[in-house]
Amino acid sequence: MPPLPYAENALEPVISAQTVSFHYGKHHRGYFDNLAKLTPNTPFAGQSLEALIVATYGVPEHEAVFNNAAQAWNHNFYWQSLSPSPTRPSEALNAAIVRDFGSVDQLTSKLAAVSASQFGSGWGWLVAQHGKLAVIKTGNADTPLAHGLVPLLTVDVWEHAYYLQYQNRRPEYLEHVTAKLINWDFASTNFARMSA
């Protein structure tokens, strides 16, 4: 389980230190702890999260491994998708955003709206496929990796990501996160890696 890329209070006031502490220290850690119990003495022992996700997606008898590996990976990606300091998309990513969404503001508004519309638990994503950008949502532990898409950034819409602070105001949480905390440096690096 990788360390947080910033202090627990670094995302305040948008995401409280208490929320980060519970989210990272209990929920995120729980997925790694579960994997540590599920994979020893199996063909999955020692495999990367990405390999586990690909090998177990859609296989009913390995659903628990998939759910925990995907949630562990999704959370690793989520913490990297947030930045306590303002960032901007690279020139290349910005050009793709303008081409596919009109502007960064239009993209973040769409990301917030699509993520808010996820029924129940899940994730909102900016992804790339065949050189085009798209905003999608996935339910529960599902992840773009399982569908051949390249994730650039994500926002978490499981209740544990916001409930301590925002209660049932998921759209408000998403509006603040997408407007103030998106790590465009991380998204730009992912976009450049895909384009290389």
Side-chain angles (χ1 to χ4, degrees), residues 95-114:
I97 290 170
V98 170
R99 180 196 67 208
D100 295 334
F101 296 98
S103 69
V104 172
D105 286 346
Q106 286 174 284
L107 163 59
T108 54
S109 293
K110 183 167 186 178
L111 179 61
V114 168

Side-chain angles (χ1 to χ4, degrees), residues 60-169:
E61 61 266 32
H62 299 311
E63 184 177 19
V65 174
F66 173 80
N67 284 337
N68 284 281
Q71 280 293 84
W73 190 92
N74 288 351
H75 279 84
N76 290 350
F77 200 80
Y78 169 68
W79 299 119
Q80 295 288 331
S81 294
L82 305 179
S83 171
S85 306
T87 59
R88 305 181 108 177
S90 66
E91 193 173 314
L93 178 56
N94 189 68
I97 290 170
V98 170
R99 180 196 67 208
D100 295 334
F101 296 98
S103 69
V104 172
D105 286 346
Q106 286 174 284
L107 163 59
T108 54
S109 293
K110 183 167 186 178
L111 179 61
V114 168
S115 302
S117 74
Q118 169 58 35
F119 183 79
S121 299
W123 301 85
W125 304 86
L126 174 64
V127 299
Q129 184 179 36
H130 308 306
K132 298 283 267 181
L133 303 182
V135 168
I136 66 166
K137 59 187 176 180
T138 60
N140 299 317
D142 200 4
T143 177
L145 291 182
H147 305 280
L149 301 170
V150 178
L152 302 182
L153 62 87
T154 192
V155 290
D156 190 340
V157 294
W158 283 65
E159 283 190 341
H160 62 238
Y162 61 87
Y163 206 83
L164 287 175
Q165 190 172 354
Y166 292 90
Q167 287 79 50
N168 64 335
R169 302 189 310 277

Side-chain angles (χ1 to χ4, degrees), residues 5-6 10-11 14 78-87 177 180-186:
Y6 31 72
L11 304 177
V14 177
Y78 169 68
W79 299 119
Q80 295 288 331
S81 294
L82 305 179
S83 171
S85 306
T87 59
V177 167
K180 300 173 184 173
L181 294 182
I182 293 296
N183 186 349
W184 291 112
D185 292 340
F186 179 65

